[in-house]
Amino acid sequence: MSTIDFSALDALDQRDPLADKRQLFVIPEDTVYLDGNSLGLLTHATQQRVAEVTRQQWGQDAISSWNKHQWVHLPRLVGDKLAPIIGAATGQVICCDSISVNLFKALSAALHLQRQRGEQQRTKVISTRDNFPTDLYMVQGLEQLLGAQHCHLQMVEEADLLTAAEDLFDAETAILLVTEVNFRSGRRLPVAELIRKAHAAGVLVIVDLAHSAGAMPVRLDEWQADFAVGCTYKYLNGGPGAPAFVYVAQRHLGQFVQPLAGWFGHAQPFAFEPRYEPAPGIEIMLSGTPSVLAMAAVDSALDAFAGVDLAVVREKSLALAEAFLQQLAASGLATEFECISPAAAERGSQLSFAHPQAYAICQALIDAKVVADFRAPHYLRVGFTPLYTSFRDIGVAVEQLTHIMREQTYLQPQYQKRHAVT
Amino acid sequence: MSTIDFSALDALDQRDPLADKRQLFVIPEDTVYLDGNSLGLLTHATQQRVAEVTRQQWGQDAISSWNKHQWVHLPRLVGDKLAPIIGAATGQVICCDSISVNLFKALSAALHLQRQRGEQQRTKVISTRDNFPTDLYMVQGLEQLLGAQHCHLQMVEEADLLTAAEDLFDAETAILLVTEVNFRSGRRLPVAELIRKAHAAGVLVIVDLAHSAGAMPVRLDEWQADFAVGCTYKYLNGGPGAPAFVYVAQRHLGQFVQPLAGWFGHAQPFAFEPRYEPAPGIEIMLSGTPSVLAMAAVDSALDAFAGVDLAVVREKSLALAEAFLQQLAASGLATEFECISPAAAERGSQLSFAHPQAYAICQALIDAKVVADFRAPHYLRVGFTPLYTSFRDIGVAVEQLTHIMREQTYLQPQYQKRHAVT
């Protein structure tokens, strides 16, 4: 009946060097979860850690936990734990706030660096039109605040950035804001090459690693990135809306200020001085008091990456995607679903398919306990998270998708109705 | 032996209309906790809620929880639950980010409102020199970003603001940034009167309610406050570093933009449009993705305020403070500890005492399981949180303090050594 060759998939699972990692995670019951690119799953350890921080640290040790349980150092401890995952030496990464807020700091800091270099005319921020919208919005927010003469966004086509970056970087360009993996298409941009070209033109680069960190090798130091931001709630499994991270290259620390100058970013927060004096290190990127519950979850989640080679993660990610495409073809669905993601080498850890009924199909899949997601206007996204996605998962997912398409289940009215979050 | 009249204190506890609320909280074992003004205690309900959000919502329902468990609406739901506690009608309060980050939004928004009114020359932000430092730092951060010609901080003495506010508000003054209760001294400023005077001079007012919200009646709408920010981890018991809140008066909504224009503040976040269009309501103050674990804790913690009259909270708070002062006098310590907090009517929910050995005394108290806190340079703070502080607690606290002073326990070397967080 089924066209899926489960024995071949099981054989792949048996050879999988990451197979043991799956047991660290709470896998939703009877569910194939292909949405770790939107919200990573909970680990058993994190569930315990959150309970412990709540019950013992907050509940019993209360205020003393700021010292006793190192709450005050969590942003830096988590940052340093995250650093090797994104190819950064210690002291350059800190966990705090959201990507949006961290981008505002990084954008302001990079503009400040340009002015420090005497490059006042560099006021333009280049980013791609189909970047994740919050990245574009934050530049627009800064533009509105400072005036276009001090900061303005130029949206370019991704294709133009890929083929003719040199022509885009002119004497007015201050910053290239680039997301490594496109959230819709899954296209992976050649960040190292873009940084080289940007630097050659005097342009600073902020890299958004939302869909990269934890999914593939990232080499911020080697690439000579200037700033980076990223998300801990996707491939890093930090929890819904978990605090983000921000990276600043060592060579820039001490050379700039950032405007969200909250007390946690002060050189001596507990001296309670009325004048702001920025911390000399990466703590300059901190602003207000961080959420301990949220950050403790991230800290614990990162332990799942202990001993993990990101090159192996990448290899499995591509193998999972390849298996998905093969099973889709074997099920006769390859022509119906237009894969808008590029070939393996130029792709992140997801496949995106265009289909006019993508929304309803996604809802029907979720009801069949295969969790993928939808992105406007008509894309079905399938994410691969090598730490817990199995090859058998892929078979079940395609089997269910095949069933839904044959039976046209997605036409049922309950699948056509839109939710608040799509 | 003890000079404490515990039977009189027990009688006060028996007459306490809020006595039943204490059982909602996890009281640290054998401990008298007088630091709710720094970190409020955990409720049993919040402990369960955090476990449930972790185990079931994140662990099992995963991404679907954004709709299924209303994660996407939490910032507004929490804001509306908080609104009556601070005297605000619904639709004006939202829970997100930190006080620091929210202040940046409010400061920028208020400056924008002044420009919209044609008051470009109003560029000055007035605040008191001994305001909580992060409030001052955020103005300094904005000043550094915009240039002093567009925004500059004038620090004034609290006494001058109290006696001659009219003289301080000139034609260049854009904003008064005032914290209702001084974190060091516990002085409660006459916010309603200051707002009247500010408005008469064309000045907008941002009120920081960090040490007010949940501790006493606050009447933002009645006062005609323009903006307010506040903390949920003190008297509101939302958890360490819990998300803050921000209030915008209804009359201002739709009239301004704020620069931290993240996707959650967009009119249609899930349309993923490249151009930012602010939400028409209070959601304009949102920026990036909020932490669900952290915000669910706040949501649950606020339930402890169900049916609570803040006037009763205030009355008990003052009675607790009065009991503390009485017991201190009865124990012969009143002259040794200089109370720098003003009289009841002009005071928040804390007492602050100056003592050259305040730090060490505070450490010795904590070791004796009486948790107070220290603020630089030499203040011992004692906070009263009427939902869980009992009159008997006050007796135990003063008894231990008396013992420490008589035995000079605080001179022991371990109490003299400073921690990271003081």
Side-chain angles (χ1 to χ4, degrees):
Chain A
M1 177 80 172
S2 168
T3 56
I4 310 292
D5 183 355
F6 278 104
S7 63
L9 294 168
D10 289 343
L12 288 171
D13 280 325
Q14 274 151 30
R15 289 200 302 272
D16 171 15
L18 295 171
D20 281 355
K21 290 285 179 185
R22 184 175 163 100
Q23 71 199 16
L24 299 179
F25 291 85
V26 176
I27 309 289
E29 234 176 291
D30 302 325
T31 298
V32 169
Y33 193 76
L34 300 177
D35 207 10
N37 52 332
S38 192
L39 174 63
L41 292 180
L42 173 70
T43 68
H44 295 286
T46 300
Q47 183 175 342
Q48 282 175 14
R49 172 74 172 271
V50 170
E52 173 70 8
V53 170
T54 308
R55 191 189 57 76
Q56 180 63 40
Q57 297 186 11
W58 175 14
Q60 291 298 324
D61 300 334
I63 191 71
S64 72
S65 296
W66 282 101
N67 289 306
K68 186 172 176 181
H69 299 294
Q70 303 244 52
W71 286 357
V72 72
H73 299 302
L74 269 178
R76 175 66 182 267
L77 292 171
V78 174
D80 281 341
K81 197 185 272 191
L82 216 154
I85 298 173
I86 54 176
T90 55
Q92 301 174 107
V93 184
I94 201 144
C95 182
C96 56
D97 298 317
S98 61
I99 284 194
S100 303
V101 168
N102 287 336
L103 263 178
F104 192 85
K105 301 171 194 168
L107 287 163
S108 307
L111 286 175
H112 189 221
L113 280 173
Q114 290 286 13
R115 286 197 304 280
Q116 300 275 93
R117 294 172 174 182
E119 300 277 344
Q120 280 77 1
Q121 84 290 359
R122 291 193 183 265
T123 55
K124 189 162 68 179
V125 180
I126 291 181
S127 197
T128 53
R129 188 179 306 279
D130 61 352
N131 196 346
F132 188 77
T134 213
D135 292 32
L136 304 174
Y137 300 163
M138 294 315 292
V139 185
Q140 292 167 42
L142 190 58
E143 174 171 343
Q144 202 284 330
L145 180 68
L146 297 182
Q149 72 276 25
H150 295 296
C151 172
H152 61 281
L153 172 65
Q154 183 185 353
M155 288 196 254
V156 302
E157 301 308 320
E158 191 176 88
D160 293 340
L161 186 66
L162 292 174
T163 55
E166 297 87 340
D167 300 341
L168 298 173
F169 302 143
D170 60 17
E172 286 186 7
T173 309
I175 299 166
L176 169 65
L177 168 57
V178 61
T179 298
E180 188 179 15
V181 178
N182 184 304
F183 79 107
R184 280 198 191 86
S185 68
R187 178 178 293 279
R188 183 187 193 189
L189 276 65
V191 173
E193 182 190 323
L194 289 170
I195 292 174
R196 266 198 310 280
K197 289 177 179 173
H199 284 181
V203 174
L204 293 166
V205 181
I206 303 174
V207 186
D208 182 339
L209 298 170
H211 288 267
S212 318
M216 61 194 70
V218 169
R219 307 191 198 285
L220 290 176
D221 284 349
E222 186 184 313
W223 297 345
Q224 303 218 47
D226 298 291
F227 297 87
V229 296
C231 173
T232 68
Y233 57 75
K234 298 178 185 288
Y235 297 98
L236 298 175
N237 314 303
F245 66 83
V246 55
Y247 160 95
V248 182
Q250 185 66 50
R251 65 187 176 280
H252 295 317
L253 287 172
Q255 307 297 311
F256 66 86
V257 292
Q258 64 85 6
L260 302 183
W263 73 310
F264 264 68
H266 194 278
Q268 295 186 71
F270 294 93
F272 298 103
E273 296 289 344
R275 281 283 159 201
Y276 183 71
E277 190 198 325
I282 186 67
E283 285 81 1
I284 190 176
M285 299 307 264
L286 292 179
S287 189
T289 314
S291 165
V292 170
L293 288 185
M295 204 164 292
V298 180
D299 185 45
S300 169
L302 291 176
D303 290 339
F305 283 87
V308 168
D309 179 349
L310 272 299
V312 173
V313 171
R314 173 69 173 163
E315 198 178 335
K316 180 174 172 190
S317 155
L318 294 179
L320 288 164
E322 183 57 29
F324 193 94
L325 291 168
Q326 276 177 8
Q327 301 298 337
L328 203 68
S331 302
L333 292 174
T335 52
E336 188 164 359
F337 286 89
E338 180 201 350
C339 182
I340 63 157
S341 303
E346 288 153 14
R347 192 169 69 209
S349 197
Q350 71 180 68
L351 288 170
S352 298
F353 300 94
H355 192 290
Q357 288 284 350
Y359 179 79
I361 293 165
C362 184
Q363 298 308 310
L365 269 175
I366 291 168
D367 250 14
K369 294 197 160 279
V370 175
V371 182
D373 75 10
F374 166 82
R375 280 295 174 263
H378 54 262
Y379 300 116
L380 180 70
R381 293 197 311 181
V382 182
F384 308 103
T385 36
L387 260 46
Y388 53 81
T389 306
S390 69
F391 289 91
R392 171 164 274 269
D393 280 347
I394 301 301
V396 176
V398 176
E399 188 173 50
Q400 290 299 327
L401 181 61
T402 307
H403 182 76
I404 286 163
M405 298 315 292
R406 282 197 191 137
E407 303 291 324
Q408 297 194 312
T409 320
Y410 60 87
L411 292 177
Q412 293 172 19
Q414 74 271 28
Y415 299 133
Q416 301 280 333
K417 184 170 154 270
R418 296 281 174 119
H419 290 121
V421 181
T422 56
Chain B
M1 177 81 172
S2 169
T3 56
I4 310 292
D5 181 355
F6 279 105
S7 63
L9 293 168
D10 288 345
L12 289 171
D13 280 326
Q14 273 151 32
R15 289 200 301 272
D16 172 14
L18 294 171
D20 281 356
K21 290 286 179 183
R22 185 174 161 102
Q23 69 198 19
L24 299 179
F25 291 84
V26 177
I27 309 288
E29 237 177 286
D30 301 325
T31 298
V32 169
Y33 193 75
L34 300 178
D35 207 11
N37 53 330
S38 191
L39 175 63
L41 292 180
L42 173 70
T43 68
H44 295 287
T46 300
Q47 184 175 344
Q48 281 174 16
R49 172 75 171 274
V50 170
E52 173 70 8
V53 170
T54 308
R55 191 190 55 76
Q56 180 62 39
Q57 297 186 11
W58 175 15
Q60 290 298 322
D61 301 334
I63 190 73
S64 71
S65 295
W66 282 101
N67 290 306
K68 187 171 176 182
H69 299 293
Q70 304 244 53
W71 286 357
V72 73
H73 299 302
L74 269 179
R76 175 64 182 268
L77 292 171
V78 174
D80 281 342
K81 196 184 275 192
L82 217 155
I85 297 174
I86 54 174
T90 55
Q92 302 173 107
V93 184
I94 202 145
C95 182
C96 57
D97 299 317
S98 60
I99 285 194
S100 303
V101 168
N102 288 337
L103 263 179
F104 193 85
K105 301 171 191 167
L107 287 163
S108 307
L111 286 175
H112 189 222
L113 280 172
Q114 290 287 14
R115 287 196 304 278
Q116 301 275 92
R117 294 174 173 181
E119 300 276 344
Q120 281 76 3
Q121 84 290 357
R122 291 191 183 266
T123 54
K124 190 163 67 181
V125 181
I126 291 180
S127 197
T128 52
R129 189 180 305 277
D130 61 351
N131 196 348
F132 189 78
T134 212
D135 294 33
L136 304 174
Y137 300 162
M138 294 315 291
V139 184
Q140 292 167 41
L142 191 57
E143 174 172 341
Q144 202 283 331
L145 180 67
L146 297 181
Q149 72 278 26
H150 295 297
C151 172
H152 60 281
L153 172 64
Q154 183 186 352
M155 288 195 255
V156 301
E157 301 308 319
E158 192 177 88
D160 293 339
L161 186 66
L162 292 174
T163 54
E166 297 88 341
D167 300 342
L168 299 173
F169 301 144
D170 60 17
E172 287 187 6
T173 310
I175 299 166
L176 169 65
L177 169 56
V178 60
T179 297
E180 189 180 14
V181 177
N182 183 305
F183 79 108
R184 280 199 190 86
S185 67
R187 178 178 293 280
R188 185 188 191 188
L189 276 63
V191 173
E193 183 191 322
L194 289 170
I195 292 174
R196 266 199 309 279
K197 289 178 180 173
H199 285 181
V203 174
L204 293 166
V205 181
I206 304 174
V207 187
D208 182 338
L209 298 170
H211 289 267
S212 319
M216 63 194 72
V218 170
R219 308 192 196 285
L220 289 176
D221 284 351
E222 188 184 311
W223 297 344
Q224 303 219 48
D226 298 290
F227 298 86
V229 296
C231 173
T232 69
Y233 57 74
K234 297 179 185 289
Y235 297 98
L236 298 175
N237 315 304
F245 65 84
V246 55
Y247 160 95
V248 182
Q250 186 66 50
R251 65 187 177 281
H252 295 317
L253 288 171
Q255 307 297 312
F256 66 87
V257 292
Q258 65 85 4
L260 301 184
W263 71 310
F264 264 68
H266 194 278
Q268 294 185 72
F270 295 92
F272 298 102
E273 296 289 345
R275 280 282 158 201
Y276 183 71
E277 190 198 324
I282 186 67
E283 284 81 1
I284 190 177
M285 299 307 265
L286 292 178
S287 189
T289 312
S291 165
V292 170
L293 288 185
M295 205 165 291
V298 180
D299 186 43
S300 170
L302 291 176
D303 290 339
F305 284 87
V308 168
D309 179 350
L310 272 299
V312 174
V313 171
R314 173 68 173 161
E315 200 179 335
K316 180 174 173 189
S317 152
L318 294 181
L320 288 164
E322 183 55 30
F324 193 94
L325 291 169
Q326 275 177 8
Q327 301 298 337
L328 204 67
S331 301
L333 292 175
T335 50
E336 188 163 0
F337 285 90
E338 180 200 352
C339 181
I340 63 156
S341 303
E346 288 154 16
R347 190 170 70 208
S349 197
Q350 70 180 67
L351 288 171
S352 297
F353 300 93
H355 193 290
Q357 287 284 351
Y359 179 80
I361 293 166
C362 184
Q363 297 309 310
L365 268 173
I366 291 167
D367 250 14
K369 293 195 162 280
V370 174
V371 182
D373 75 11
F374 165 83
R375 280 295 172 263
H378 55 261
Y379 300 116
L380 178 70
R381 293 197 313 182
V382 182
F384 308 103
T385 38
L387 261 46
Y388 54 80
T389 306
S390 68
F391 289 91
R392 172 164 274 269
D393 281 349
I394 302 300
V396 175
V398 176
E399 188 173 50
Q400 291 299 327
L401 181 60
T402 307
H403 182 77
I404 287 163
M405 299 314 294
R406 282 200 192 136
E407 304 292 324
Q408 297 195 310
T409 320
Y410 59 88
L411 292 177
Q412 293 172 19
Q414 75 269 29
Y415 299 134
Q416 300 281 332
K417 182 171 155 270
R418 296 282 174 118
H419 290 119
V421 181
T422 54

